[in-house]
Structure formats: structure tokens, C-alpha cells
Amino acid sequence: MLGRTLLASLFVSAVLAQDGGISGPTSSSDAAGYSCDTSKCQLPDCNCASTSPPGGLDPSQVPQFIVFTADDAIQSYTLDSVNQFLAQRKNPNGCTPKMTYFTSLNYTNYTLVTDWFVAGNEIADHTMTHVGTPPEEEINGNLIALNALAGIPLSSIKGFRAPYLNYSVDTLKMLAKAQFLYDSSAAASIPVTDSGTDAYWPYTLDYGMANDCLAVEGSCKGEPKLPGFWEIPMYAFFDNRGVAGPHLMDPWLDSANGASAVNDSATLEYMKKTFTDHYNGNRQPIGLYTHPIHLSRTYPGVEVSNSTINMINAFLDWAQEQQNVWIVSNEQLLDWVRHPVPVSQLDSFDSLKCSTPQVDSGKKICNGMPQNEAGLLSHCAFPDFPFYTCYGCPEEEPTPKNPNPPQQVPDGQQARYRLPSNCSTPFWDPIAGQCICSSDACAFSDDSRPIGPNGANLTGGGTGGNFTDSGSTPTASYTPFSSALPTLPQGFWLALALACVGGVVGSLGVIDKL
């Protein structure tokens, strides 16, 4: 049998081959054929595709948003990977940045989904089994399973990203039908300094798509018309080749400027240059779109470049030295776009604040807060991929055709109660079946610090330290998110690597967006 280290390396190598990427423009103004009536399309529920900030704000009064997202399974090693970039940071208001996790369910540990959500991050849909151009059951099954087994309210799952960024017009129609608020699968593939840029602020599809017109058949030229449904473009970085040198997902895995090998210094240079073009222009968002496995230092047997980790932290350190730079989730970005306020009024903007549920740390309740739920998790020991959950193990593994199987009820116990629509996840006790805070005044504390128009607290904070293109130890220090979680059974990672290699190899023949 292959050794554990080799299997893990094969897993990472196979995943590298599947990542969504672009090699040039995916749209043009002629292909888009886009026209929008600004007199009829107005916020908060309609927005025309435009390079100008929403609400008629001057760019100098607009925050520069850095959107941070992650794709695929949620496991302890993926959350540790994200945390090495975000856990030690603060936005200008003193709040730890939040991010969006586009979650697929194969190999996902459901209780970590709950914990990550209760910590304030956005959980979004990435299909159940990570398939491009997904059928309806893959999209809706993910919603059902995340709600039933991770306790994520259906109303909180607002966004979708297609695996491999491989979507169709039918995908967008299915999302709108299922009452998603937004998709984020379309590339902004032309630099903001180009007169024909497609780096639009998030927009609704009332007048059709304006991105990816060269890549997605049947889109643009006014189609598909999906009133109130948003597209949050994925904003590429560009190396010194400009439009011919885009880097979209995991740009640090690409070689820059047509070179034959990855060079972290060159990557840092073009990331800073692209950021500056956005910041000095109309301040369209910029994005770090990640597959956390590539940067995980806790995945068994895999060597990850310390230089690359240091480079990404150095980029974020440098960006946060600029005024009015915020690291946010897609949910936070879209809330601001729908209700734009100048930076002088961000003190009153609720979705950027630090809202922490106030639950007594000594209370025994399985609620997504590790200090409360210790010893209360159900261990679902399925042979393909075991997981933990607060909401009772299903009798069989969830599938797209059966995303919410009947619950196992061990002898001497009772079934656990699923989250109702009238209770917030951290206040729901699935064992007792009661909501410990059911009023509109549930106890959330706000730990935000004041920010102001007179130069006070207009910058965030990061790890500090200097980047050098070497293999030195990463400068970031953080507490592993999974420290309170029971250990998965021995042999799990070996089985995971085997399964993932087989699944990825089997899918490579149908991937058309690499």
C-alpha cells in the first residue's frame, strides 16, 4: 500500500489540477451586450453592473474591501489554514475579520461547520459532492444537510459558488428559484486600469449577466433575467502581462509573468500592484479566493511552503497599513453594497461589528461554542468519512438523493432536536429541545471599537514581521481552531487521501475551466 505521506502528496497534487482558473479575458463589452436602466434599477434590491461605487459615493469615501473566501470541505486542518491568515488580524473597528466558506459536504466535519458559523463566518453552498454544472439535487441537498446536521439556518445560506467555477445559465436559474441571494462564480478578468474592464461592483441580474460572456453559453446580451439575484464577481490579480496574465483562485500557486516556476516575491509584487490599482481607482473589491488544503500546515504528511504563507501574510499586513481597508465575507460586502454608507458612518454599520453570543461558558449545551459543547457531540462513525455533529447521527451517510436520512437514536437516549426557524444557532439546545433565548433581545455583545472621520482607527492590524523569499518559519502565530474537538479515528486521513485522489482523478476528464 502507498505510504501515508505519498498519499497525502498525491491528494494535494490532484487537487491542484482541479482548481478554477482563467488564462485570459472571459468577457468583453461586445459579448456582454449589457444595458441597464438606472432609473428603474435601484438599491437595495437592484443594482446595475458598474465600475463606479454604489449609491453615488465618491471613491475616497468608499471602503476598500478584501473579500476572503475558502472552498470545499471543512475540517480542522482547513480552518487552521484560514486562521493563520485571519485569526491574528483586526479590521479598523478592532473586530477579527470574517470570511465566506463555500462548503461541500464530502469529508466535511459538521460540528466544525457549526462552530465556524457561530464564530461569525458565512457558510455558503458549494454542492454536496463537488460537481461542476451541478444538478438541482446537489445544490438543494447541500442546503438541507447543512441545516439538519450543522444547524445552519436556511435563511443564513445565501450564497453559492460552482465547483471548478463551472456553472451554466441553468445553474443561475436554479439558484434564483431556490431563493439564494447571490452567486460568486463569474470572473472579473480584465484589469481595472483597462477601459474595457469587467471588474464591476456586485450587481443584480435584472438585466442579465455582464461577466463570463465568452465562457458561459447563453449568458449576457440581457440573459438570464433574474430580478433581485446578485452576482458577486471574482476579481482577478494581474501580473506584468496585464490582461494576458490573470490569476484568480490560489494565485500563489501560479508562476508569475510567464515564468516556469513559482516565485513568491513576484507574486507579492503583482498582488500589491493590482490592489493599488483598485485602491487608487473606483475601489472595486479585491479577493483572496482559497482552497485551504494548499496552505495547511496541519494536514498530515504534506509539506507547505513557509515562504508562501509568509508572503500572503505580508500582503495582508501591507494592505492593512492603508486607510479604510476591510477584510470581509461576501455577506458583509453585499450588505454594504445594498446599503452603502461613507467610511465616516461605518461606526453604525451593524454587519461589520463584532457580535458575540453571550452564553455562560459553564452551561452544557451543544451550540457551536467549543467551551459549551465538550462531551456532547455525537460521533458518526461512517467508514468513508466519520464526522461529529450536535444534531444526532443519521442512519446512513447523506447523499444528494437523501440529504437528511432518519436519525440514529442510541439505546437509552432520545432523538436530538433539529434547529427551528425561530431560534438562533448558539441559543438552541438540541438535546433538551429548547431555545435558551427566544426573544428579539438575545444577548449578543458588541466589542467593536469606535472609528472616526478624523484619522482615528482607520487602519487595521496584522501579524507584523517582514517577508523574505525563503523557507523560514511563518511569522503568524494562532491557536488551532479545532483544539477542543475530539480526534477522528486512526486511519481517517489515509482513507480520505485515497478517496479524494480517486474522486479527483475521475473528474479531471470533464473539467473545462482550469
Side-chain angles (χ1 to χ4, degrees):
M1 176 167 292
L2 289 171
R4 180 178 178 181
T5 300
L6 176 57
L7 278 171
S9 298
L10 282 172
F11 170 51
V12 173
S13 297
V15 174
L16 284 174
Q18 70 161 334
D19 291 344
I22 54 176
S23 58
T26 61
S27 192
S28 70
S29 57
D30 289 340
Y34 182 82
S35 178
C36 181
D37 188 342
T38 57
S39 68
K40 296 179 179 178
C41 183
Q42 297 185 2
L43 296 172
D45 297 320
C46 186
N47 196 40
C48 295
S50 174
T51 59
S52 298
L57 292 175
D58 186 89
S60 65
Q61 290 298 305
V62 170
Q64 177 63 62
F65 291 114
I66 301 175
V67 180
F68 198 106
T69 73
D71 286 14
D72 302 339
I74 291 184
Q75 282 286 354
S76 58
Y77 65 86
T78 66
L79 296 186
D80 286 347
S81 178
V82 170
N83 264 336
Q84 67 189 334
F85 304 112
L86 298 186
Q88 71 279 6
R89 297 191 179 279
K90 302 294 181 185
N91 275 324
N93 63 353
C95 296
T96 301
K98 307 306 179 187
M99 54 80 70
T100 298
Y101 211 118
F102 291 97
T103 310
S104 54
L105 297 187
N106 275 6
Y107 313 108
T108 278
N109 196 347
Y110 285 88
T111 195
L112 287 177
V113 180
T114 313
D115 294 357
W116 199 239
F117 172 75
V118 170
N121 300 285
E122 180 185 10
I123 300 298
D125 194 326
H126 198 48
T127 75
M128 287 193 75
T129 65
H130 202 273
V131 293
T133 53
E136 192 169 10
E137 64 183 15
E138 281 278 353
I139 296 172
N140 292 342
N142 208 33
L143 291 175
I144 293 168
L146 285 170
N147 174 252
L149 293 173
I152 311 301
L154 290 173
S155 61
S156 294
I157 307 173
K158 303 174 182 177
F160 177 83
R161 175 170 292 157
Y164 319 112
L165 309 185
N166 196 352
Y167 69 98
S168 67
V169 167
D170 284 342
T171 306
L172 298 174
K173 290 179 178 178
M174 282 190 286
L175 295 172
K177 177 183 174 183
Q179 298 185 326
F180 282 85
L181 182 60
Y182 75 86
D183 169 73
S184 186
S185 308
S189 58
I190 303 173
V192 293
T193 51
D194 190 304
S195 60
T197 185
D198 58 351
Y200 304 117
W201 281 86
Y203 61 94
T204 58
L205 270 59
D206 292 64
Y207 294 84
M209 282 283 286
N211 292 86
D212 271 4
C213 305
L214 301 174
V216 179
E217 184 178 357
S219 68
C220 302
K221 298 186 182 298
E223 295 297 332
K225 291 181 174 64
L226 301 171
F229 180 74
W230 291 78
E231 182 63 36
I232 302 180
M234 299 175 66
Y235 304 92
F237 289 93
F238 298 89
D239 63 30
N240 62 17
R241 294 170 295 169
V243 70
H247 303 273
L248 193 59
M249 297 203 75
D250 310 298
W252 35 84
L253 302 180
D254 300 342
S255 57
N257 309 319
S260 59
V262 173
N263 181 310
D264 289 324
S265 294
T267 302
L268 178 60
E269 180 180 355
Y270 77 66
M271 288 176 68
K272 285 184 175 181
K273 172 63 166 59
T274 303
F275 175 94
T276 301
D277 290 340
H278 282 239
Y279 188 79
N280 290 341
N282 282 321
R283 296 202 174 175
Q284 295 100 315
I286 200 78
L288 296 187
Y289 312 116
T290 73
H291 292 88
I293 180 64
H294 302 322
L295 298 168
S296 173
R297 293 191 289 122
T298 56
Y299 187 83
V302 175
E303 294 292 332
V304 177
S305 169
N306 289 336
S307 171
T308 300
I309 293 171
N310 286 340
M311 182 276 293
I312 298 167
N313 269 318
F315 168 75
L316 290 171
D317 288 349
W318 169 83
Q320 287 193 286
E321 292 172 359
Q322 325 305 317
Q323 289 194 348
N324 300 318
V325 173
W326 295 72
I327 303 171
V328 297
S329 66
N330 271 339
E331 182 179 33
Q332 290 173 307
L333 167 65
L334 194 53
D335 191 33
W336 184 87
V337 169
R338 298 180 72 194
H339 310 95
V341 297
V343 291
S344 60
Q345 297 178 26
L346 287 180
D347 256 347
S348 60
F349 202 78
D350 287 342
S351 63
L352 293 177
K353 294 181 178 181
C354 319
S355 295
T356 305
Q358 296 302 288
V359 179
D360 183 351
S361 61
K363 186 174 182 61
K364 301 294 287 183
I365 175 175
C366 208
N367 67 340
M369 302 179 76
Q371 68 270 23
N372 296 100
E373 62 190 11
L376 300 178
L377 302 172
S378 295
H379 176 218
C380 310
F382 295 110
D384 289 342
F385 57 98
F387 56 82
Y388 289 91
T389 175
C390 280
Y391 295 92
C393 294
E395 291 182 351
E396 57 189 51
E397 297 176 33
T399 65
K401 293 187 180 298
N402 188 15
N404 185 16
Q407 187 181 153
Q408 297 179 27
V409 183
D411 291 342
Q413 299 183 28
Q414 64 180 26
R416 296 197 176 190
Y417 297 88
R418 300 291 165 79
L419 179 77
S421 59
N422 62 349
C423 189
S424 179
T425 306
F427 302 110
W428 176 246
D429 185 341
I431 298 174
Q434 65 180 12
C435 192
I436 64 173
C437 184
S438 58
S439 73
D440 292 337
C442 284
F444 287 85
S445 69
D446 176 19
D447 300 321
S448 310
R449 71 183 185 185
I451 54 177
N454 300 316
N457 298 335
L458 295 180
T459 59
T463 62
N466 297 314
F467 164 71
T468 57
D469 194 356
S470 68
S472 60
T473 301
T475 56
S477 62
Y478 64 97
T479 301
F481 184 81
S482 57
S483 58
L485 187 70
T487 303
L488 287 169
Q490 187 174 7
F492 168 73
W493 298 112
L494 180 63
L496 172 61
L498 277 170
C500 285
V501 169
V504 170
V505 170
S507 69
L508 291 180
V510 299
I511 298 169
D512 61 5
K513 270 196 174 184
L514 296 177

